[in-house]
Amino acid sequence: MLTQTTESSADRPPLLEVAGVNKSFPGVRALEDMRLELRAGEVLALVGENGAGKSTLMKLLSGIHTADSGTFALAGQPLRITGPRHATELGISIIHQEFNLVPHLSVAQNIYLGREPRRGMLLDERRLVRRASELIERLSLPLDPNAVVGKLTVAHQQMVEIAKALSYDPKVLIMDEPTAALNDAEVATLHELIRRFVLPDTGAIYISHRMEEIRRIADRVTVIRDGNYVDTVDVGSTTTSEIISMMVGRTLAENAGPQGVRSGREVLLEVTGLSTRAARNTTQLKDVTFDLRAGEILGFAGLMGAGRTETARAIVGADAVTGGVLTLRGRPVRIANPADAVAHGIGYLSEDRKRYGLLLDKDVKTNVTLSALRSRFARGGFVNDRAVRATARSYTESLRIKTPSVDQTTKFLSGGNQQKVVIAKWLARDCDILIFDEPTRGIDVGAKEEIYALLNELAEQGKSIIMISSELPEVLRMSHRVVVMSEGRVTTVLDADEATQENIMHFATLRPDENARDAVELGLDPAETGAETGAETGAETGAETGADERLADREGGA
Amino acid sequence: MTSTRTPARGSLGSGFVTAAKGRLQQLLAFASLIVIFAFFSIASPYFFTYDRFVVILFSTVVIGTLAIGTTFVIITGGIDLSIGTGMALCAVMSGVFIVKLDLPLGIGLVATVLFGGLMGLVNGVAIAVLKIPPFIATLAMMLVAEGLALVLSDSAPIYFSDEPGYTKISTGNLIPGVELPNAVLVLIVVAIIAGVLLTRTVLGRYTYSIGSNEEATALSGIDVRKWKIIIYAFAGLFIGLAGIMISARLGSAQPATGMGYELQAIAAVVIGGTSLSGGRGSIVGTLIGALIISTLNNGLQIMSIPQEWQSVILGCVILVAVYTDILRKKEA
């Protein structure tokens, strides 16, 4: 339905053009010679793995960051975006993945935040509500302008964001993962809105991991990888697996693949039917089931928001669960809080070391001995400082933690050495199961190798390791088996020899509903079939479903 | 202390520097104490005497005891507003146990201290289990204690006239030949015990850990909820002790005298370099902070500066003390 407009606009200058853009952050080259071309009247999908540079590109377009070099042009006119406000004035509206809403204010107040209609010195609340009502009506959104935003469902909050973005009458609408929190019916409604927005002189950029949605809504798709532009293709003439291989087409690190098989080993931990309640900003776990063997590195792959961190936090009792059984060495165990988990020998190393892993203003020896303080370093409540010091020294030596002394405050250590301090803490506690969440995030290449060697060594010693990682080469290189998650469910468990970047990405982008699972069993490409059936049913339900039904759908579908 | 015993290594020098940096606020506080002392000694001929020195120490006892207990709470990142009126309630309880119920002195004293611990326990449960913010939970306890003190005493002082041993706790002289009231000895002993607990035990280490990063501490497998309750209950013991010390000094339990002490105690803790955001602080610092406050009060009194101005000056001292701490942290 959109092919006509695409053709007619082909000879005009593109609506939005990004060319030769470079952007570096200290130590990281985020974007290199980036290109992007949005034609008038089209929906352009932007895809790439985690860390490919999508968010950086968004931040350049919204004026949060400034490019090191390169050009931007809107309808042929060169652009210099100085800030988020300037971007909206120029006609570029961006809906970020994380909402920018004030929960205590009403829908109308949120939409016009910062540009409230006034009468003299006072706010004109009546005109505010009237304007918001007109906007909401024009967009035919099921919103009450007087409702308090914090009390709305996530889907309705998303609509407030959209109304806010469209209230500026933008030429270009950019959406970052707009459907992450929506169910099928809500997605269809959103797509309907996008289609109505895209006129011959406007365009939309749609960032998503979900291939079926991209097939449904987008005309063309631009693939980026490791900060580089890969290609832009027509969605109609490209298969999903072609797009995926463009996304991951990266050569593997050398000496790939773990040594030896672990299938014969004893099952140490069985997780069955782990589920959590739906909550803001976290992914709801649905029936997460897998097992962990002794001496095994079990990789956890998935896209952002797949529920991997949530799984780890649920296992160690950091977040409440609504269902599920943990079986440790054949016996069911109850873990209500992290103290229970540690007592059972399960340690969790968070992806956010600074927030959840370290006492940053305390020294190395205090951090290393924190977890084992009572069991190993105290008698009658008194801390044996000499033992604390000696143990900390021995770990700084064996793990090669670069620090002037064990009295050094941990905030002054490098990322890699901080990570080693956290690892030392769990080794001192003698845990059998270690859950590493993004063990090499923010760590330079040399230190990464050392962490890898350490993980292998620990597994050789018989420790069981769960390694959550968003870097596929890392997952493939380290894991004996790979658990792939998508949207709070386990979509597959792959052995090392059957795991490839392509099939991990395939299972990571799967919408794990019933149809998709059936399709996998039948050996079909579920993304392809999902796209076709979804396009038809989606359009119908979207047009007909009212607000209340959508709400019911959301709760029922969740 | 251990660093002197460890063999000389490359790490010793840097370890010493870190330790010195950590002590800087205490050194600064101590230097200000000396300066204040010197100032009053020059300004007033009656100031620099042994008697005056003892008087200042003696008047530090109540605030010092409260401040030492609340140092633990503040290092966890919490606050306790109930220590002032809680102290008055404990003083009344001491009167109830010893005068009204006629319990033996020793048992009455222990019961009073434990009653303070009970108040702390209630605070701890409200904060750690019910998740009520410390400011609110202890504000509520402050009001409850204020009212209960009046109710249990029928709004009248309870006199310990039949128990001559009671005032000896404060004004007696245990060490023959040295003119040092027992109250000062109590403060010294309590400070040493608290200092050892804070620096040498699991309780102290967890107090710092919780204040430094509560989430990381919990994920390290430490039952933060349990330890918070323990710490608040432990700090409560000092409220009970302060209740004894103040009523022993006055020879009576005054049900309406507590309000205001909590802010003086918190001021002492803050001047002593303990961070209200948690994770940092020391007993020595708190003691110096308490001494600064009582030296100021005493010196200004001698110089015949009206009481009203004493509060103004104390307020300014707090601002200056905390601001220098902020400056120091910026440099580091």
Side-chain angles (χ1 to χ4, degrees):
Chain A
M1 73 189 104
L2 290 153
T3 39
Q4 294 168 327
T5 48
T6 320
E7 274 166 17
S8 65
S9 63
D11 26 302
R12 280 197 284 156
L15 181 60
L16 179 70
E17 191 176 19
V18 175
V21 164
N22 292 293
K23 176 70 188 173
S24 294
F25 295 105
V28 192
R29 185 131 206 200
L31 293 177
E32 197 173 350
D33 193 23
M34 181 54 64
R35 273 171 286 162
L36 186 99
E37 184 195 287
L38 174 69
R39 294 173 186 162
E42 79 166 346
V43 177
L44 176 73
L46 179 63
V47 299
E49 282 188 278
N50 297 338
K54 292 168 297 183
S55 299
T56 308
L57 187 55
M58 286 311 98
K59 284 178 179 156
L60 294 181
L61 284 170
S62 58
I64 295 170
H65 294 319
T66 321
D68 299 339
S69 60
T71 58
F72 297 84
L74 188 68
Q77 299 295 312
L79 273 187
R80 246 190 62 82
I81 306 163
T82 56
R85 185 140 203 163
H86 189 218
T88 50
E89 282 165 11
L90 292 166
I92 302 173
S93 274
I94 300 189
I95 300 172
H96 293 279
Q97 196 174 351
E98 275 105 44
F99 298 158
N100 292 305
L101 297 171
V102 185
H104 296 102
L105 295 182
S106 73
V107 169
Q109 285 164 344
N110 263 285
I111 293 175
Y112 292 104
L113 190 65
R115 46 195 176 121
E116 294 83 357
R118 283 185 218 176
R119 191 190 291 154
M121 303 244 313
L122 302 173
L123 293 173
D124 189 345
E125 198 71 19
R126 208 180 298 168
R127 195 143 57 96
L128 173 78
V129 174
R130 199 174 57 231
R131 264 201 214 172
S133 305
E134 283 165 13
L135 176 74
I136 289 167
E137 203 170 310
R138 183 155 61 87
L139 301 171
S140 48
L141 292 172
L143 288 174
D144 170 7
N146 291 310
V148 174
V149 160
K151 293 193 174 153
L152 299 178
T153 61
V154 180
H156 281 77
Q157 289 181 357
Q158 175 74 276
M159 288 177 195
V160 178
E161 280 281 11
I162 292 167
K164 189 173 159 186
L166 294 183
S167 71
Y168 291 93
D169 290 317
K171 290 287 169 221
V172 177
L173 177 66
I174 303 174
M175 287 160 287
D176 191 358
E177 295 284 352
T179 57
L182 306 186
N183 68 24
D184 285 338
E186 290 158 355
V187 169
T189 314
L190 176 72
H191 285 184
E192 189 56 36
L193 255 172
I194 296 170
R195 286 200 192 92
R196 270 192 282 133
F197 164 75
V198 176
L199 302 171
D201 63 337
T202 58
I205 296 177
Y206 189 93
I207 300 173
S208 180
H209 286 306
R210 296 174 173 174
M211 289 301 152
E212 358 145 23
E213 276 175 25
I214 289 170
R215 305 201 75 86
R216 237 184 282 167
I217 187 71
D219 303 291
R220 296 188 305 150
V221 54
T222 292
V223 182
I224 66 175
R225 184 175 71 224
D226 296 338
N228 291 289
Y229 174 85
V230 178
D231 203 358
T232 301
V233 293
D234 281 331
V235 171
S237 58
T238 318
T239 66
T240 299
S241 45
E242 280 171 335
I243 296 174
I244 289 178
S245 46
M246 280 193 275
M247 281 165 66
V248 299
R250 178 169 40 178
T251 49
L252 265 179
E254 281 163 50
N255 61 8
Q259 309 297 310
V261 196
R262 296 288 189 266
S263 53
R265 303 271 188 120
E266 160 212 15
V267 171
L268 199 60
L269 176 73
E270 274 180 85
V271 176
T272 317
L274 199 63
S275 302
T276 60
R277 199 169 286 122
R280 221 183 127 85
N281 298 329
T282 60
T283 304
Q284 183 185 12
L285 299 181
K286 297 157 193 161
D287 194 23
V288 171
T289 300
F290 65 92
D291 57 39
L292 176 68
R293 295 172 202 278
E296 170 184 58
I297 299 179
L298 184 65
F300 261 67
L303 301 164
M304 243 173 255
R308 295 166 299 161
T309 296
E310 286 83 351
T311 303
R313 289 183 60 94
I315 291 172
V316 299
D319 294 331
V321 297
T322 52
V325 180
L326 297 182
T327 313
L328 191 64
R329 294 189 182 86
R331 286 204 193 132
V333 290
R334 220 182 73 82
I335 292 176
N337 54 46
D340 289 348
V342 173
H344 283 110
I346 305 175
Y348 171 58
L349 291 84
S350 166
E351 59 187 320
D352 192 345
R353 298 185 273 287
K354 296 190 174 172
R355 191 163 157 208
Y356 297 113
L358 287 168
L359 310 176
L360 278 176
D361 59 349
K362 298 288 166 234
D363 57 25
V364 171
K365 63 179 190 299
T366 303
N367 274 285
V368 168
T369 55
L370 177 62
S371 191
L373 192 66
R374 267 181 95 195
S375 54
R376 267 188 74 183
F377 301 108
R379 185 171 294 173
F382 279 84
V383 176
N384 182 347
D385 267 329
R386 204 179 292 188
V388 162
R389 187 173 288 275
T391 305
R393 278 222 183 100
S394 86
Y395 278 115
T396 52
E397 274 163 34
S398 65
L399 301 186
R400 289 179 298 275
I401 301 173
K402 286 191 202 82
T403 173
S405 80
V406 294
D407 302 305
Q408 177 75 358
T409 308
T410 47
K411 73 174 159 205
F412 297 123
L413 300 185
S414 73
N417 285 306
Q418 286 180 345
Q419 181 70 304
K420 287 180 184 176
V421 170
V422 181
I423 293 173
K425 176 173 76 179
W426 292 112
L427 296 183
R429 190 62 177 76
D430 205 20
C431 285
D432 292 326
I433 298 173
L434 292 170
I435 305 177
F436 287 85
D437 199 347
E438 304 287 358
T440 63
R441 174 168 292 172
I443 289 175
D444 65 68
V445 182
K448 264 187 188 181
E449 288 301 324
E450 289 193 45
I451 302 279
Y452 292 150
L454 197 58
L455 291 183
N456 283 328
E457 206 177 299
L458 292 173
E460 282 307 316
Q461 290 167 11
K463 305 230 183 258
S464 299
I465 292 171
I466 290 176
M467 187 191 75
I468 299 169
S469 173
S470 292
E471 289 182 43
L472 282 182
E474 179 172 291
V475 170
L476 289 170
R477 175 179 164 178
M478 299 301 298
S479 315
H480 297 105
R481 289 185 302 148
V482 181
V483 174
V484 187
M485 292 190 71
S486 173
E487 303 187 10
R489 291 180 199 267
V490 172
T491 44
T492 189
V493 181
L494 301 166
D495 280 333
D497 54 354
E498 53 185 12
T500 62
Q501 299 214 25
E502 283 76 9
N503 65 9
I504 289 177
M505 276 311 278
H506 170 82
F507 285 105
T509 52
L510 211 57
R511 285 208 84 167
D513 53 30
E514 298 306 322
N515 284 343
R517 241 183 284 162
D518 289 347
V520 173
E521 276 162 26
L522 292 168
L524 300 171
D525 185 348
E528 301 280 353
T529 50
E532 278 162 33
T533 54
E536 288 156 24
T537 53
E540 279 169 32
T541 48
E544 285 164 20
T545 326
D548 298 335
E549 282 172 73
R550 257 196 299 278
L551 192 61
D553 276 354
R554 185 187 143 67
E555 277 158 14
Chain B
M1 269 167 255
T2 43
S3 62
T4 50
R5 266 186 272 130
T6 39
R9 273 197 163 203
S11 66
L12 193 65
S14 67
F16 180 74
V17 171
T18 332
K21 267 185 193 162
R23 300 261 178 273
L24 195 63
Q25 174 66 18
Q26 282 171 27
L27 291 176
L28 275 177
F30 190 67
S32 345
L33 180 61
I34 302 287
V35 169
I36 292 168
F37 221 86
F39 172 78
F40 285 127
S41 304
I42 295 163
S44 163
Y46 311 107
F47 192 81
F48 194 74
T49 60
Y50 179 76
D51 284 353
R52 178 64 49 195
F53 193 64
V54 172
V55 165
I56 288 173
L57 280 176
F58 187 66
S59 63
T60 311
V61 171
V62 170
I63 293 222
T65 307
L66 284 178
I68 287 168
T70 212
T71 300
F72 283 81
V73 166
I74 291 177
I75 292 175
T76 66
I79 193 90
D80 192 346
L81 298 178
S82 66
I83 52 178
T85 59
M87 174 183 75
L89 176 58
C90 287
V92 168
M93 286 313 292
S94 172
V96 169
F97 290 138
I98 294 165
V99 179
K100 296 199 172 169
L101 299 180
D102 208 18
L103 295 177
L105 185 62
I107 293 176
L109 296 179
V110 170
T112 304
V113 171
L114 289 180
F115 185 82
L118 179 70
M119 283 177 46
L121 182 79
V122 173
N123 279 335
V125 169
I127 290 158
V129 180
L130 307 181
K131 309 282 180 209
I132 297 169
F135 190 94
I136 308 295
T138 60
L139 178 70
M141 178 58 86
M142 165 174 142
L143 296 172
V144 168
E146 185 188 26
L148 276 183
L150 293 169
V151 169
L152 292 173
S153 64
D154 295 325
S155 304
I158 303 174
Y159 292 95
F160 293 92
S161 0
D162 297 337
E163 194 65 63
Y166 196 74
T167 50
K168 289 258 166 56
I169 296 167
S170 177
T171 52
N173 213 329
L174 200 64
I175 308 173
V178 185
E179 192 148 333
L180 200 62
N182 286 346
V184 176
L185 288 179
V186 169
L187 180 66
I188 292 169
V189 169
V190 162
I192 291 171
I193 293 173
V196 168
L197 282 171
L198 189 58
T199 54
R200 292 264 171 272
T201 65
V202 172
L203 173 87
R205 207 56 63 87
Y206 288 172
T207 303
Y208 282 111
S209 307
I210 290 170
S212 174
N213 190 339
E214 188 171 331
E215 279 164 319
T217 304
L219 283 172
S220 295
I222 290 147
D223 192 340
V224 168
R225 207 164 68 166
K226 180 181 94 183
W227 282 100
K228 264 192 177 174
I229 295 173
I230 291 174
I231 291 163
Y232 274 90
F234 172 73
L237 300 176
F238 292 82
I239 306 177
L241 185 62
I244 292 171
M245 296 318 293
I246 194 167
S247 51
R249 189 173 79 190
L250 302 172
S252 63
Q254 301 283 344
T257 49
M259 193 73 87
Y261 276 84
E262 67 283 338
L263 297 182
Q264 297 242 341
I266 291 167
V269 175
V270 169
I271 291 172
T274 296
S275 163
L276 276 182
S277 51
R280 222 159 50 85
S282 69
I283 297 299
V284 176
T286 294
L287 265 187
I288 295 171
L291 277 172
I292 286 180
I293 290 178
S294 48
T295 306
L296 268 179
N297 285 343
N298 215 281
L300 294 171
Q301 236 165 29
I302 288 177
M303 289 176 68
S304 316
I305 289 170
Q307 180 109 42
E308 295 82 355
W309 283 101
Q310 293 177 21
S311 292
V312 174
I313 291 166
L314 180 59
C316 296
V317 167
I318 292 173
L319 278 186
V320 171
V322 176
Y323 183 63
T324 52
D325 196 28
I326 289 170
L327 280 185
R328 185 180 67 84
K329 260 191 280 178
K330 254 189 212 159
E331 279 167 27

